[in-house]
Amino acid sequence: MAFQYRGSPTFRHKPLSPDYFIPATVSDNTQVGPDLAVLTLSIPTDSRTADEKAPSLDPIWSIFIKDDDIQVERPYTPLFGFEENGNIRLWIKRYQLGEVGRWLHSKQAGDTIEIRGPSKPFPFYEGRWDEVLMISGGTGFSPFHQLLFRQLLRGNHVAATKKTRFTLLHASRSLAELPPLPLLQPLIDFAVAHPEHFRVQLFVDSASGAPPPESVVRHLKVGRIDKSSIAHSLGIPDKISTWASWISSLWDIRDKNVLVLVCGPERMVAAIAGPYGKNYSQGMVGGILAELGFEAGQVWKL
């Protein structure tokens, strides 16, 4: 997803804003898989938001990065939000036809790029939902890591999970393309320690290649995220024997206070939640989630 650059100006020594670009310095660019890299950006001190608890930095938020070579911009979601040292880390995929991703993969420590934001693709309100199911593919994992880090891993899980249970279903094409272990392992550890608050299931198309640690294997399945796996994660009967039981299950879903967030390649999003509308608007709920009885207001496509 890339957007034509609309001519927002660039300012130095001003705080991060969605209305203009500011310069940021690449402090590290580490390959973490085939065509995958974690890019660390250092934000100038005078451009950092003074209040890290400001509503604009509540999850889920993204930044836009401008490719100066061809004047297009693309949104990326910081994995941790703003870190204590003011850095932002991004997990970036290089696609053959993805201009901004290829451009970012070429950057080296010391290079300067221009960013603007934050942009809020989805405003998460703590305690609003009883259950939140996150379904991601590829680097679509990033917004959910930001949300889970803020809600579960940053030391405030007792309050944050008092009401809400989180479930993450994540799909990658291969073992080598799974999220980097330093991102995955803390989530797996939390899921093992607090299964009543968080569950995680990983999917790969193929298990060929170097095996991951046993802790990852225990949460790994070869195959794709399908209707059965989604239904199972929500406690919905996989096979409904009668028309009456189907109607009962349908209304049970509609009555539940459940939010489903979906982020990944467009074909995956369409198959699970229905295609985006015009200009990446939400469109109608379709795909597997519609078959399970979910309606607008219960599903959000990132």
Side-chain angles (χ1 to χ4, degrees):
M1 181 192 310
F3 302 92
Q4 189 67 38
Y5 165 57
R6 299 298 182 186
S8 299
T10 299
F11 294 109
R12 297 180 181 274
H13 311 298
K14 294 192 70 171
L16 183 67
S17 168
D19 298 325
Y20 52 79
F21 288 94
I22 64 166
T25 302
V26 176
S27 58
D28 186 69
N29 190 353
T30 301
Q31 290 293 123
V32 293
D35 293 320
L36 290 164
V38 171
L39 188 75
T40 304
L41 302 179
S42 177
I43 311 301
T45 303
D46 51 10
S47 293
R48 300 173 192 169
T49 302
D51 182 8
E52 291 189 5
K53 296 183 179 180
S56 61
L57 294 180
D58 287 341
I60 300 169
W61 60 274
S62 302
I63 58 172
F64 281 89
I65 295 181
K66 181 176 67 172
D67 179 344
D68 286 330
D69 292 346
I70 56 175
Q71 297 296 293
V72 297
E73 59 179 11
R74 188 193 188 285
Y76 289 93
T77 305
L79 288 160
F80 298 89
F82 264 117
E83 300 179 46
E84 292 182 1
N85 55 8
N87 287 350
I88 287 175
R89 274 186 279 178
L90 308 169
W91 189 35
I92 296 173
K93 171 81 171 180
R94 176 173 53 202
Y95 294 96
Q96 184 176 359
L97 300 178
E99 299 93 344
V100 183
R102 287 189 288 111
W103 182 77
L104 287 172
H105 268 250
S106 71
K107 295 300 173 183
Q108 299 178 1
D111 288 345
T112 298
I113 64 174
E114 296 181 5
I115 66 173
R116 67 179 181 90
S119 170
K120 297 291 285 284
F122 180 79
F124 183 83
Y125 298 103
E126 188 174 297
R128 174 173 291 187
W129 296 278
D130 296 324
E131 184 149 6
V132 175
L133 171 62
M134 298 156 286
I135 304 173
S136 60
T139 54
F141 166 85
S142 295
F144 301 144
H145 185 274
Q146 184 192 108
L147 174 63
L148 292 168
F149 177 76
R150 180 72 174 264
Q151 292 293 306
L152 304 181
L153 302 183
R154 211 173 61 167
N156 63 344
H157 71 269
V158 174
T161 60
K162 194 172 184 179
K163 179 181 179 182
T164 305
R165 181 175 71 170
F166 296 89
T167 300
L168 173 65
L169 304 181
H170 175 77
S172 292
R173 291 191 301 177
S174 67
L175 294 173
E177 294 177 86
L178 285 169
L181 191 60
L183 301 177
L184 269 184
Q185 193 62 59
L187 293 176
I188 290 173
D189 291 344
F190 190 94
V192 171
H194 305 281
E196 71 280 14
H197 295 320
F198 177 56
R199 299 171 299 170
V200 58
Q201 181 72 60
L202 306 169
F203 298 78
V204 290
D205 293 348
S206 169
S208 61
E214 181 60 30
S215 60
V216 174
V217 172
R218 286 195 291 267
H219 295 268
L220 187 65
K221 179 180 178 179
V222 178
R224 298 194 174 184
I225 300 174
D226 57 13
K227 185 176 180 179
S228 176
S229 56
I230 293 173
H232 178 74
S233 72
L234 293 169
I236 300 171
D238 188 15
K239 295 182 179 179
I240 299 175
S241 57
T242 67
W243 176 260
S245 60
W246 181 83
I247 292 292
S248 175
S249 176
L250 178 67
W251 283 109
D252 185 48
I253 291 168
R254 292 177 178 175
D255 289 341
K256 283 185 175 180
N257 189 18
V258 177
L259 172 68
V260 183
L261 301 172
V262 186
C263 187
E266 286 187 44
R267 290 177 62 183
M268 175 186 175
V269 172
I272 291 174
Y276 291 102
K278 186 178 181 181
N279 296 325
Y280 287 97
S281 60
Q282 286 298 296
M284 297 180 64
V285 176
I288 293 172
L289 294 177
E291 294 174 11
L292 289 173
F294 286 92
E295 298 181 326
Q298 293 181 299
V299 177
W300 193 268
K301 308 163 196 174
L302 295 172

